[in-house]
Amino acid sequence: MANLGVLTSLANQDDVIFIDKLTHASLIDAARFCGATVRVFPHNNTEKLERLLERYADARRRLIVTDSVFSMDGDVADLPKLCALAAKYDAITVVDEAHGTGVLGEHGSGLCELQNVTDQVDIVISTASKALGSLGGIVTAQEPVIKTLINHARSLIYTTAPPPSQVACIAAALDAITSEPQRRIRLAELSKRVREAVMQKGFVLPATTVQTPIIPLITGESDAAIALSTHLNQQGIHAPAIRPPTVAPNAARVRLSLRCDLTDEHVDQLIKAFASAPKA
Ligand SMILES: Cc1ncc(COP(=O)(O)O)c(C=O)c1O
């Protein structure tokens, strides 16, 4: 709903939205719905993005839209490069930090903080539903943008505000993110360990500059993903199979998503479960 509110408030048929192919469906749908021309660029392909930006130099507004951490691949965007292109072609940057908030950056602000572009990204959207353990969309931007959203975002205006109990949960989670960095450090250690074990088992992980806790075990065939997910489930590990159309044809996978409160024994159990998994 936050993604819908942002794009429908800031873009219309006079504008062009450039969106990474692997960006979350909620942003792709919002881009289509707002009436702007939508140009999808190949995943993390900033050369292609630049050619598109050149081509649409006359549009009223250009918005570059991406996830920070890609939800099904666990790799990350090159935000410094996107911001440099935005500066060169006078575009607005919109970054969905759903999987970065609370997880990445020294203070847990996300990939923008980690890649040192907090001051350059125009609009950051996030959710309280992942690291914050609650529900609710979050938008951070300069005050004029926020005022525009408050007055124009129909998905905000025409829905009930979050109840106080939920807001209290979010506030407590934000406090924990600020005051308990050890959770992030632990999660990063676990991510590194599991990623190494997964690669040893012969899975090829999407190339990434940041070892995030989203780790896809790409099987290709849907049946293989279901078999692997079932196998892990029998070993006490909940890791769902993700199949087309959520991912591209022949790119089915089991999606591991780690949490900081997993014990070493849990991770041993996961790694042992791979050892006895059906062939990748
Ligand atoms: C990148 C991304 N953006 C947005 C969302 C939507 O968040 P929510 O489920 O809190 O509405 C998700 C996942 O659900 C996501 O992975």
Side-chain angles (χ1 to χ4, degrees):
M1 298 299 265
N3 285 341
L4 187 65
V6 167
L7 293 192
T8 53
S9 300
L10 299 182
N12 64 25
Q13 62 278 1
D14 298 327
D15 307 314
V16 185
I17 293 178
F18 307 92
I19 190 161
D20 187 290
K21 188 170 173 37
L22 294 191
T23 301
H24 192 257
S26 58
L27 271 171
I28 292 183
D29 290 350
R32 293 198 178 122
F33 188 69
C34 74
T37 299
V38 180
R39 299 309 311 258
V40 177
F41 59 92
H43 183 46
N44 274 339
N45 187 334
T46 48
E47 277 108 49
K48 175 73 179 169
L49 170 61
E50 178 154 22
R51 288 202 293 280
L52 288 171
L53 283 161
E54 272 164 4
R55 195 179 323 155
Y56 289 94
D58 293 337
R60 181 187 69 148
R61 267 183 204 157
R62 284 158 295 283
L63 285 81
I64 300 173
V65 176
T66 187
D67 288 357
S68 64
V69 177
F70 290 90
S71 55
M72 295 299 141
D73 285 62
D75 59 346
V76 300
D78 182 349
L79 297 180
K81 181 76 192 173
L82 295 184
C83 290
L85 287 176
K88 185 169 173 190
Y89 294 96
D90 189 25
I92 296 167
T93 42
V94 180
V95 175
D96 183 331
E97 283 269 32
H99 296 283
T101 302
V103 171
L104 300 178
E106 195 187 337
H107 303 93
S109 299
L111 188 72
C112 294
E113 183 189 12
L114 187 71
Q115 294 189 338
N116 209 12
V117 290
T118 304
D119 294 342
Q120 294 167 55
V121 171
D122 297 298
I123 300 164
V124 174
I125 309 171
S126 194
T127 174
S129 68
K130 308 207 185 288
L132 280 71
S134 183
L135 273 179
I138 302 168
V139 183
T140 44
Q142 297 282 338
E143 203 179 344
V145 177
I146 297 298
K147 282 194 169 149
T148 302
L149 296 180
I150 288 171
N151 288 290
H152 292 272
R154 293 167 66 87
S155 58
L156 171 74
I157 296 167
Y158 297 104
T159 50
T160 305
S165 54
Q166 189 184 328
V167 177
C169 286
I170 294 171
L174 290 174
D175 281 347
I177 286 171
T178 319
S179 61
E180 298 174 35
Q182 67 275 17
R183 291 174 183 261
R184 262 187 302 290
I185 294 165
R186 168 77 180 157
L187 186 57
E189 284 166 4
L190 291 180
S191 305
K192 184 168 181 286
R193 186 167 165 222
V194 174
R195 278 176 176 269
E196 282 167 6
V198 161
M199 285 189 292
Q200 265 177 16
K201 174 74 184 151
F203 287 99
V204 178
L205 291 173
T208 180
T209 52
V210 180
Q211 298 194 325
T212 75
I214 296 173
I215 305 172
L217 310 177
I218 300 172
T219 58
E221 294 293 324
S222 294
D223 288 350
I226 293 168
L228 180 56
S229 172
T230 307
H231 171 80
L232 292 177
N233 208 283
Q234 283 159 356
Q235 315 289 313
I237 291 150
H238 175 65
I242 314 283
R243 290 163 285 163
T246 307
V247 290
N250 300 316
R253 64 200 58 194
V254 168
R255 179 179 180 271
L256 301 179
S257 180
L258 305 178
R259 341 167 13 127
C260 65
D261 56 358
L262 293 175
T263 62
D264 288 341
E265 291 70 36
H266 288 137
V267 175
D268 291 343
Q269 187 185 342
L270 170 62
I271 292 172
K272 210 165 131 202
F274 285 137
S276 58
K279 205 170 140 305

